[in-house]
Amino acid sequence: MKSDELTKENINKLVIIFYTKVLNNEKLGPFFVQKLGDDMNSDIWQEHIKLLTEFWYTMLTGLGNYNGRPFPPHAQIMGLNREAFEKWLELFFQSVDKVFDEKIANKFKERSSIIASNFMRNLQL
Ligand code: HEM
């Protein structure tokens, strides 16, 4: 059943589905493995999953506790290119469609597209 509720539990599900795809993708996986390792059960990954759950909850409800700056860590990643961002969005959209109904899925898609464009502009890609 696709959900029509923006709960932290559902967003956590989305985040886990997304990073499972990312780690299995040969283009995108290495960027994450380099920084966080390849074991999604590790403490560092669990922290990342928690952070990203909070990030999306804050983005889409305005209620969460994420008050970090999303862009700076990406400036440290060597070799990022437009192709990587296109793959990121493709896997994110697929994940969103698995968890949420169309109305909520569209919110994630719109917001992620805008952020990805901003990141690419900041990185001059
Ligand atoms: C090819 C594209 C991308 C790659 C390879 C990538 C990779 C990463 C990596 C490795 C980290 C962990 C950095 C660290 O802990 O030092 C990270 C953090 C993060 N990413 Fe991405 N990312 C990408 C695109 C995006 C996009 C499009 C978004 C948002 C729509 C996003 C949102 C975030 C957020 C919120 C964090 C946590 C920032 C913080 O520490 O507060 N990323 N990303």
Side-chain angles (χ1 to χ4, degrees):
M1 239 318 252
K2 294 192 186 185
S3 180
D4 59 358
E5 279 184 318
L6 259 177
T7 61
K8 271 195 206 178
E9 200 183 343
N10 287 333
I11 295 176
N12 185 246
K13 211 158 113 185
L14 157 66
V15 170
I16 290 169
I17 290 173
F18 172 62
Y19 283 123
T20 303
K21 286 181 188 291
V22 163
L23 281 181
N24 281 313
N25 185 271
E26 58 184 28
K27 201 173 290 165
L28 221 44
F31 291 114
F32 288 86
V33 171
Q34 199 178 40
K35 191 74 210 180
L36 307 171
D38 62 2
D39 177 9
M40 264 177 65
N41 293 314
S42 67
D43 289 352
I44 184 166
W45 263 105
Q46 291 299 310
E47 274 304 305
H48 185 67
I49 289 165
K50 216 166 108 191
L51 183 67
L52 269 286
T53 299
E54 201 61 38
F55 170 74
W56 282 114
Y57 186 70
T58 305
M59 285 298 118
L60 293 200
T61 68
L63 297 173
N65 294 316
Y66 180 84
N67 56 12
R69 293 194 304 142
F71 176 69
H74 300 87
Q76 313 293 324
I77 302 173
M78 291 297 130
L80 268 184
N81 50 36
R82 289 191 83 90
E83 236 191 330
F85 275 95
E86 276 154 23
K87 186 50 82 178
W88 191 104
L89 285 171
E90 184 189 325
L91 298 184
F92 190 68
F93 284 20
Q94 283 173 9
S95 309
V96 157
D97 282 331
K98 280 201 192 302
V99 180
F100 291 105
D101 70 7
E102 197 182 347
K103 194 165 158 230
I104 297 186
N106 283 339
K107 292 185 195 211
F108 277 101
K109 292 177 188 178
E110 280 165 22
R111 192 47 94 84
S112 59
S113 300
I114 292 169
I115 298 170
S117 297
N118 288 340
F119 282 11
M120 284 190 279
R121 199 189 53 233
N122 289 347
L123 293 166
Q124 298 179 311
L125 296 177

